[in-house]
Amino acid sequence: MKILYIIPLAVMLSCCSSVKNQSGTAQNLDNQLLKDVQVLSSDAYQGRKNGTKGAEMARAYIIDRFIKLGLKSYPANVNYAQEFTFKSKGVNLNGTNVVGYIPGKSNNVIVISAHYDHLGVVKDVIFNGADDNASGVAGLLKIAAYFSKNKPNNTIIFAAFDAEEVGLQGAKAFVSNPPVPINTISVNLNMDMISHSDKAELYVCGTFKYPELKKYVVNNNPKIKVLLGHDDPKSGHEDWTNQSDQGAFNSKNIPFLYFGVEDHKDYHQSTDKYETITQSFFNDAANAILEVAKNIDRQTGLQLSLKNKTIMKN
């Protein structure tokens, strides 16, 4: 794993510290956030397709970041790895989630997730998957960095899922065999495609089915629009409820918030590269999601009622 982690030094050092945002003014950016995306979406990782050397390299990178951030590994997982098997097109395949946690002051659990796999190499062309979903993994690592320095009230699990692109397989494996009793999981915050928006629009899906979560979605940054939606099947908009890993949690009636952007010209294309993400928007989006996570964590009594599908406070 350590050998696979080695990548060109130039990739690691070439991140920018500032760019102009969409209004044309200079903006300081989170260098580590950008570095994580740049590394994971570099050609060296070959698109991170499930079961490939590139996916193994991605896991090694994420594990190294977990170790440096001081995240703990559950005893059942070897070096943060939750291995699983699944069937695709009649073939048994293997996958590996990367799961770490920061203990809180209570046994209530928040799961923060993002999938690290992408499409790999298609007809000798690398599909790098910068927005989909190196960006979500980078957002996850940013939130983990905050809570590693600021002890959370709730125990927070950070899960980088494998095999999302072939049917949410990593998330399904996680909820089928969670490292904690499933009734202690209060909420899932999932990120998938949070770095590419020319309109500076970040959508939050989940408050239609779980309206109690709406009060935690607060944004005071005028440079970004944090919009609720894409979860009411009667709205006329595409329903994202089960479109990414939060769908596995929703199937267990675990409340969720899913953060993502609408499809863009680079979605599932070879042009989804580090160079095509919207850096200023990404910086603002990651900060906005962190604020939501902080708002939810302030509620020390969050509990999930599987029967009533509601969140209640003790």
Side-chain angles (χ1 to χ4, degrees):
M1 298 282 283
K2 291 183 179 178
I3 294 174
L4 291 171
Y5 173 66
I6 297 172
I7 61 173
L9 182 62
V11 172
M12 295 293 291
L13 298 179
S14 59
C15 294
C16 299
S17 60
S18 66
V19 296
K20 289 185 177 180
N21 59 28
Q22 280 128 322
S23 65
T25 58
Q27 178 181 4
N28 291 325
L29 302 181
D30 183 334
N31 279 355
Q32 185 64 59
L33 181 76
L34 295 178
K35 180 188 289 185
D36 289 334
V37 172
Q38 188 177 27
V39 171
L40 289 169
S41 64
S42 65
D43 285 352
Y45 287 72
Q46 296 286 295
R48 309 183 308 279
K49 184 176 181 179
N50 164 257
T52 66
K53 187 70 71 174
E56 190 175 350
M57 292 174 65
R59 286 196 297 276
Y61 181 84
I62 297 166
I63 288 170
D64 183 76
R65 294 280 284 113
F66 276 18
I67 292 171
K68 290 178 178 176
L69 290 171
L71 271 63
K72 297 181 180 297
S73 179
Y74 284 101
N77 300 334
V78 179
N79 200 23
Y80 303 94
Q82 181 194 39
E83 297 181 349
F84 60 93
T85 60
F86 64 98
K87 184 169 287 189
S88 178
K89 298 180 181 179
V91 179
N92 289 323
L93 300 174
N94 299 317
T96 307
N97 296 329
V98 182
V99 181
Y101 74 101
I102 298 174
K105 301 171 186 176
S106 76
N107 292 325
N108 297 310
V109 177
I110 298 169
V111 177
I112 297 178
S113 62
H115 74 90
Y116 68 86
D117 66 302
H118 191 55
L119 303 181
V121 180
V122 181
K123 295 181 179 179
D124 297 324
V125 177
I126 299 173
F127 282 58
N128 300 88
D131 190 36
D132 185 13
N133 185 35
S135 67
V137 175
L140 179 151
L141 292 170
K142 178 185 177 74
I143 297 172
Y146 172 83
F147 284 108
S148 69
K149 297 178 180 178
N150 301 271
K151 185 175 178 64
N153 289 309
N154 302 274
T155 293
I156 303 181
I157 293 176
F158 295 90
F161 291 134
D162 194 5
E164 187 271 351
E165 298 286 1
V166 285
L168 320 183
Q169 300 297 336
K172 289 177 179 178
F174 179 91
V175 298
S176 295
N177 187 27
V180 296
I182 198 165
N183 62 356
T184 65
I185 299 176
S186 299
V187 64
N188 168 233
L189 305 182
N190 186 50
M191 293 165 281
D192 193 350
M193 297 172 55
I194 60 170
S195 68
H196 189 146
S197 175
D198 296 331
K199 299 179 181 179
E201 293 178 345
L202 177 70
Y203 279 87
V204 186
C205 167
T207 61
F208 175 76
K209 185 173 182 180
Y210 304 105
E212 180 68 13
L213 293 175
K214 188 181 297 185
K215 63 186 178 185
Y216 302 117
V217 183
V218 178
N219 174 49
N220 296 313
N221 183 355
K223 295 180 294 184
I224 184 173
K225 303 170 188 173
V226 179
L227 306 172
L228 303 178
H230 284 288
D231 52 2
D232 181 351
K234 298 179 182 179
S235 68
H237 297 289
E238 184 180 17
D239 186 356
W240 292 353
T241 298
N242 298 306
Q243 297 263 324
S244 186
D245 289 317
Q246 74 279 352
F249 291 85
N250 181 55
S251 71
K252 301 294 185 181
N253 294 319
I254 296 173
F256 71 88
L257 291 176
Y258 162 54
F259 301 87
V261 300
E262 293 185 322
D263 291 355
H264 47 74
K265 63 181 179 61
D266 300 312
Y267 169 65
H268 276 197
Q269 302 296 318
S270 61
T271 50
D272 184 10
K273 298 175 177 287
Y274 175 75
E275 291 77 16
T276 59
I277 68 172
T278 318
Q279 292 186 14
S280 59
F281 166 77
F282 180 34
N283 191 80
D284 292 335
N287 285 332
I289 297 167
L290 172 59
E291 287 304 312
V292 174
K294 289 159 64 175
N295 290 341
I296 290 177
D297 180 61
R298 291 189 184 101
Q299 305 302 310
T300 57
L302 281 175
Q303 279 193 339
L304 172 67
S305 170
L306 290 170
K307 181 180 291 186
N308 297 324
K309 303 180 185 178
T310 58
I311 289 180
M312 299 181 295
K313 287 185 282 188
N314 288 338

